[in-house]
Amino acid sequence: MEIFPNNTELHLRCEGKDYTETFRIVKSLKTGGSVRVYRVEYGNVPFIMRQFIGCYSEHIYHDEHGALTCKPGYSLSQFLAEQQVYYNQQKAVQHIKESEDTDPFYFIPDILFYDSPAANGNHQLFLISKEPELNVYSNLIREAHQAKGESDLSLCSLLQCTEALCMCLNVMHAKGLIHGDIKPANFGFLKGAEGRTLFDTIQLFDTNT
């Protein structure tokens, strides 16, 4: 599946609405797991957009009308089935998050569900969230390693990060949820003044049930 070039305008429909909204691609950030991540803008407001790609996307592309189609000899059915499973997983997490009075799922961002309207009914799933810029844990480890003791990051700070992650996982497991892809690139921390990492503000993403 092709990567959207910078400045591409996507006309997406939010779940429960009958009209489209226009998002502009600012930059492709990464591809990992089941999604490709972009920084996008709606008006002048920045958002993070996750485009579902799954395991079968190498044979799939968008036609001139934006509808999903596939190369000859391949079927969309596996991709669409996998996309439905991913959608159900993300909806389950959001439902639990919204139903909690004390909001213990503060570490999972609020997500809006969008699709790309297509005449043939083969829509693609997009997840859009207002996510602030994060220091991802994998970057923190790399920074500490390269600094060789000359960074503000200490072993204690890195252990504090893993402690915060364990607390998040305990909350999820108590609700019968698992993440399914825990790794340093899948959680991070908000940035404070002058880009300093706020170690008590963990954000966990790419969550599966």
Side-chain angles (χ1 to χ4, degrees), residues 127 156 202:
L127 308 181
C156 184
I202 186 169

Side-chain angles (χ1 to χ4, degrees), residues 144-193:
H145 177 72
Q146 293 174 346
K148 298 180 179 179
E150 297 180 4
S151 168
D152 290 339
L153 290 171
S154 63
L155 176 60
C156 184
S157 298
L158 297 178
L159 290 176
Q160 185 180 353
C161 294
T162 57
E163 180 183 25
L165 173 63
C166 290
M167 292 175 64
C168 294
L169 296 179
N170 283 338
V171 172
M172 291 181 64
H173 293 172
K175 293 295 180 180
L177 299 173
I178 61 171
H179 185 284
D181 192 21
I182 290 296
K183 58 185 179 183
N186 274 350
F187 68 101
F189 302 82
L190 302 184
K191 292 182 180 180

Side-chain angles (χ1 to χ4, degrees), residues 198-209:
L198 305 177
F199 291 106
D200 58 346
T201 60
I202 186 169
Q203 296 279 289
L204 192 62
F205 34 91
D206 290 350
T207 308
N208 298 321
T209 58

Side-chain angles (χ1 to χ4, degrees), residues 1 22 24 35-36 43 45 49 56 64 96 101-102 107 117 120 125 131 134 142 147-148 153 161 183 185-186 199-200:
M1 186 176 295
T22 301
R24 183 179 67 86
V35 296
R36 182 172 290 135
V45 182
M49 180 182 79
Y56 306 98
E64 65 272 18
I96 293 177
D101 293 335
T102 56
F107 50 85
N120 66 0
L125 176 64
E131 292 183 26
L134 300 177
R142 188 179 304 111
K148 298 180 179 179
L153 290 171
C161 294
K183 58 185 179 183
N186 274 350
F199 291 106
D200 58 346

Side-chain angles (χ1 to χ4, degrees), residues 6-208:
N6 294 353
N7 294 316
T8 299
E9 290 190 345
L10 299 179
H11 305 289
L12 306 178
R13 179 178 57 199
C14 186
E15 186 174 59
K17 298 181 180 179
D18 58 2
Y19 57 88
T20 62
E21 299 170 357
T22 301
F23 291 86
R24 183 179 67 86
I25 301 291
V26 175
K27 183 180 181 182
S28 175
L29 298 178
K30 66 173 184 173
T31 299
S34 301
V35 296
R36 182 172 290 135
V37 184
Y38 297 88
R39 180 169 288 115
V40 299
E41 286 184 350
Y42 177 71
N44 293 319
V45 182
F47 291 87
I48 295 296
M49 180 182 79
R50 290 180 170 84
Q51 172 196 15
F52 179 82
I53 56 173
C55 300
Y56 306 98
S57 62
E58 61 182 304
H59 308 301
I60 296 171
Y61 62 95
H62 295 87
D63 66 16
E64 65 272 18
H65 304 294
L68 287 176
T69 187
C70 59
K71 299 175 183 177
Y74 295 94
S75 171
L76 274 174
S77 58
Q78 287 181 308
F79 174 85
L80 295 174
E82 188 185 16
Q83 179 173 260
Q84 185 63 46
V85 169
Y86 183 81
Y87 169 84
N88 293 342
Q89 292 170 344
Q90 298 299 325
K91 288 293 287 187
V93 173
Q94 290 296 308
H95 176 73
I96 293 177
K97 176 180 172 67
E98 293 166 3
S99 66
E100 293 294 335
D101 293 335
T102 56
D103 194 22
F105 277 45
Y106 66 90
F107 50 85
I108 295 178
D110 292 316
I111 291 173
L112 293 175
F113 294 80
Y114 282 76
D115 66 21
S116 53
N120 66 0
N122 295 329
H123 310 304
Q124 185 171 26
L125 176 64
F126 296 85
L127 308 181
I128 294 179
S129 56
K130 258 190 170 181
E131 292 183 26
E133 190 174 0
L134 300 177
N135 273 333
V136 179
Y137 188 55
S138 56
N139 293 340
L140 294 175
I141 295 173
R142 188 179 304 111
E143 179 186 334
H145 177 72
Q146 293 174 346
K148 298 180 179 179
E150 297 180 4
S151 168
D152 290 339
L153 290 171
S154 63
L155 176 60
C156 184
S157 298
L158 297 178
L159 290 176
Q160 185 180 353
C161 294
T162 57
E163 180 183 25
L165 173 63
C166 290
M167 292 175 64
C168 294
L169 296 179
N170 283 338
V171 172
M172 291 181 64
H173 293 172
K175 293 295 180 180
L177 299 173
I178 61 171
H179 185 284
D181 192 21
I182 290 296
K183 58 185 179 183
N186 274 350
F187 68 101
F189 302 82
L190 302 184
K191 292 182 180 180
E194 300 179 355
R196 290 185 177 275
T197 303
L198 305 177
F199 291 106
D200 58 346
T201 60
I202 186 169
Q203 296 279 289
L204 192 62
F205 34 91
D206 290 350
T207 308
N208 298 321

